[in-house]
Amino acid sequence: MVHPQYKYLPKRIILVRHGESQGNLDGSAYTTTPDYKIPLTPQGLRQARAAGEKIRCVVSDYGNSLNWKVYFYVSPYERTRSTLREIGRSFSRKRIIGVREECRVREQDFGNFQVEEGMKVIKETRERFGRFFFRFPEGESAADVFDRVSGFLESLWRDIHMSRLHHDSSSDELNLVIISHGLTSRVFLMKWFKWTVEQFEYLYNPCNCEFQVMQLGSGGEYSLAIYHSEEELQQWGLSPEMIADQKWRANANRGDWNERCPWYLDAFFDHLADSDDSADGETGD
């Protein structure tokens, strides 16, 4: 059970990747259609409807919760808006507090119209350069996406703390659903959980219409390990240390710092003395 002092926090923040798009099916679509206008395929529409049913089961605790509500954020791209419309079929109007188009959770910009063969070479170069810092010609790097997602998170926290997303914060269980893109979701998690650039490089996109549930733990921290299995976290590229941290967060007190995870200290220093007395070059009086 979540402590009463955290009742104003959303119970879940759910990241949803859009359904299968024409671009996922055929990369040549980007040569004639602007990225933001790429539509879902019939399969993508079916995936979105199925995802809506699954998300409703999750936010209602499989029918055991009565006072749940959802608030949607959606990327302005055609494929994410279509995904939202299909997901919305699973919810009644009284369950939806609101929806907001949010440009900062849009897809990574790859430039304008894409030349298919040229993009293949560019993506091969990205693998050699590093996926986080490589900037597409006339487009963005993942680092650029990180910056705008960081701005979105600041706005999100203001909305949460000012109770802008609640109708009745004393009784409603709020669930935020963010319908976005693969890389944007990875960057969102990276920012939220303070993952390093090196850790980001090993992450994988969720599948089309796969969703990732950050659930509020008993101590006020969010964790992927409350809803998801260790196998799922491994499939997304989380290391054993990252998975251990997610498990710790499930019951940790909000604001605590998990010093047991190696990247907090060990990833940045070759060796740290256990105490001041044992530090090299220091002597007592």
Side-chain angles (χ1 to χ4, degrees):
M1 171 135 346
V2 176
H3 193 280
Q5 76 181 93
Y6 303 125
K7 291 292 287 183
Y8 73 94
L9 294 174
K11 184 171 183 177
R12 301 174 188 86
I13 300 173
I14 301 177
L15 305 175
V16 188
R17 187 185 177 194
H18 59 80
E20 179 188 77
S21 73
Q22 194 61 43
N24 296 139
L25 199 62
D26 180 7
S28 66
Y30 298 106
T31 65
T32 57
T33 306
D35 193 359
Y36 70 94
K37 289 186 176 181
I38 295 287
L40 292 182
T41 64
Q43 171 67 2
L45 293 169
R46 290 191 292 270
Q47 289 172 336
R49 286 193 290 272
E53 295 172 2
K54 292 177 183 177
I55 292 170
R56 179 186 170 89
C57 287
V58 172
V59 300
S60 67
D61 281 327
Y62 298 89
N64 294 315
S65 175
L66 299 177
N67 298 321
W68 59 271
K69 297 287 176 62
V70 292
Y71 192 103
F72 292 100
Y73 289 91
V74 62
S75 158
Y77 281 37
E78 173 62 27
R79 56 189 180 271
T80 42
R81 289 175 62 96
S82 294
T83 300
L84 169 65
R85 284 192 292 271
E86 297 305 313
I87 286 176
R89 295 177 187 274
S90 295
F91 298 89
S92 65
R93 185 175 295 272
K94 72 174 185 177
R95 293 294 186 181
I96 301 176
I97 295 175
V99 59
R100 185 181 304 172
E101 182 178 279
E102 176 53 71
C103 284
R104 289 173 292 183
V105 297
R106 69 185 185 274
E107 175 66 287
Q108 179 181 10
D109 291 333
F110 297 106
N112 297 316
F113 292 108
Q114 300 174 19
V115 178
E116 191 171 6
E117 285 304 313
M119 186 57 68
K120 181 180 179 181
V121 173
I122 289 170
K123 288 184 176 180
E124 289 173 353
T125 305
R126 176 181 61 175
E127 293 303 311
R128 297 199 310 272
F129 189 89
R131 290 187 296 165
F132 188 76
F133 291 113
F134 179 82
R135 178 175 286 112
F136 284 85
E138 301 179 354
E140 289 182 303
S141 65
D144 295 324
V145 179
F146 182 94
D147 291 342
R148 56 175 162 86
V149 167
S150 297
F152 165 64
L153 274 172
E154 291 175 3
S155 300
L156 180 63
W157 274 114
R158 283 197 298 272
D159 287 344
I160 291 171
H161 285 293
M162 296 180 72
S163 297
R164 291 172 178 164
L165 308 180
H166 278 94
H167 279 181
D168 183 359
S169 60
S170 65
S171 62
D172 290 341
E173 289 181 354
L174 175 62
N175 298 271
L176 302 184
V177 181
I178 303 171
I179 302 172
S180 184
H181 307 264
L183 180 134
T184 309
S185 294
R186 280 186 280 147
V187 166
F188 184 101
L189 294 173
M190 175 189 180
K191 170 63 178 176
W192 189 285
F193 293 120
K194 300 178 177 64
W195 294 339
T196 66
V197 171
E198 182 179 2
Q199 289 168 326
F200 171 87
E201 295 285 352
Y202 291 98
L203 298 178
Y204 299 102
N205 279 347
C207 298
N208 290 116
C209 269
E210 189 175 12
F211 55 86
Q212 298 164 304
V213 181
M214 299 165 51
Q215 187 159 322
L216 187 65
S218 58
E221 284 282 350
Y222 286 90
S223 170
L224 292 166
I226 297 175
Y227 178 79
H228 296 289
S229 68
E230 184 169 336
E231 289 72 23
E232 285 180 289
L233 301 183
Q234 289 173 343
Q235 289 173 3
W236 293 329
L238 275 70
S239 68
E241 293 80 12
M242 295 162 76
I243 293 172
D245 181 58
Q246 291 299 314
K247 291 179 178 179
W248 174 82
R249 287 172 179 270
N251 298 296
N253 291 320
R254 191 177 183 210
D256 284 352
W257 194 253
N258 186 6
E259 295 181 352
R260 292 176 300 169
C261 276
W263 77 83
Y264 288 135
L265 288 176
D266 297 347
F268 299 96
F269 301 101
D270 293 331
H271 173 74
L272 289 175
D274 292 331
S275 69
D276 288 345
D277 293 338
S278 60
D280 292 339
E282 291 189 12
T283 58
D285 291 334

